Amino acid sequence: RADSLSGHGATCMMGRFHTSLETRKTLADVVVDGACDAGGRPLDLQPGVWTGVALDGGELRCQLEPGRPVEGRVVDGSGDGVGNVRIEVSLARNDTSWLGGYGRHLDLPRARTDAEGRFVLLGLGPEPLRLRVRPPVSWIEPPDLQVGPGQDPLELRLVPGHELCGRVLDADG
């Protein structure tokens, strides 16, 4: 990203990226997140930021640190896994200085539980995160949790709920 101008969403293949920036700029900030392999599968690499990169300095080498995954299992009251539950994370604090001020702009990973209720979120850095569980309609959404990447696997227990269906009408019914 170059001062919020062009360059967002660079093309990346086989570990190489390319983007275009305005010619009047001489420096840029580079944010790398959401690293994937050639097949599009997520890699467990932390996001990285390089600030004040000279645009006439040749090729930039962006080496990412290993990620700190968050993993766990979503279960029902009997301990059976619950599939198709969305798991989302966001930064636990609104710290504008983290990751060179770009932390709040990261595209953080999401996951869905498998048939046994298991999930893994890859590509996370060292920051504390807020984990949100988005179960299917017949379950109550639990409160968000604060988690730390790299901690022991989580076990998240869902409680069944009632379904409410209705219809919204305009003033004429």
Side-chain angles (χ1 to χ4, degrees):
R1 299 176 194 174
D3 299 326
S4 300
L5 299 174
S6 187
H8 179 72
T11 302
C12 184
M13 294 188 66
M14 304 298 286
R16 305 197 59 77
F17 65 89
H18 177 83
T19 191
S20 298
L21 302 169
E22 288 189 13
T23 56
R24 65 185 177 94
K25 291 293 181 182
T26 59
L27 298 175
D29 293 346
V30 177
V31 178
V32 179
D33 66 348
C36 294
D37 68 12
R41 291 174 295 274
L43 295 172
D44 193 18
L45 296 170
Q46 292 184 34
V49 170
W50 292 262
T51 57
V53 175
L55 296 178
D56 60 356
E59 185 172 279
L60 174 64
R61 182 173 183 230
C62 301
Q63 185 168 347
L64 302 175
E65 296 293 324
R68 298 182 181 183
V70 170
E71 59 186 304
R73 189 163 180 250
V74 178
V75 298
D76 64 15
S78 302
D80 296 324
V82 179
N84 202 33
V85 176
R86 277 188 341 192
I87 307 293
E88 302 170 351
V89 291
S90 60
L91 294 176
R93 61 183 187 180
N94 189 14
D95 183 352
T96 57
S97 68
W98 180 68
L99 206 59
Y102 290 101
R104 67 185 183 281
H105 298 291
L106 292 179
D107 184 18
L108 293 169
R110 297 177 208 100
R112 262 193 204 276
T113 59
D114 64 14
E116 287 80 39
R118 292 184 303 256
F119 68 90
V120 178
L121 296 161
L122 300 174
L124 299 170
E127 284 295 302
L129 300 166
R130 184 176 302 114
L131 185 127
R132 175 167 284 167
V133 178
R134 304 267 192 187
V137 172
S138 58
W139 301 96
I140 303 294
E141 186 172 309
D144 294 353
L145 296 171
Q146 185 163 325
V147 297
Q151 73 180 46
D152 291 338
L154 303 168
E155 182 171 286
L156 308 169
R157 193 167 300 272
L158 293 181
V159 175
H162 296 288
E163 291 184 38
L164 175 63
C165 299
R167 199 168 111 183
V168 177
L169 305 172
D170 65 15
D172 297 327

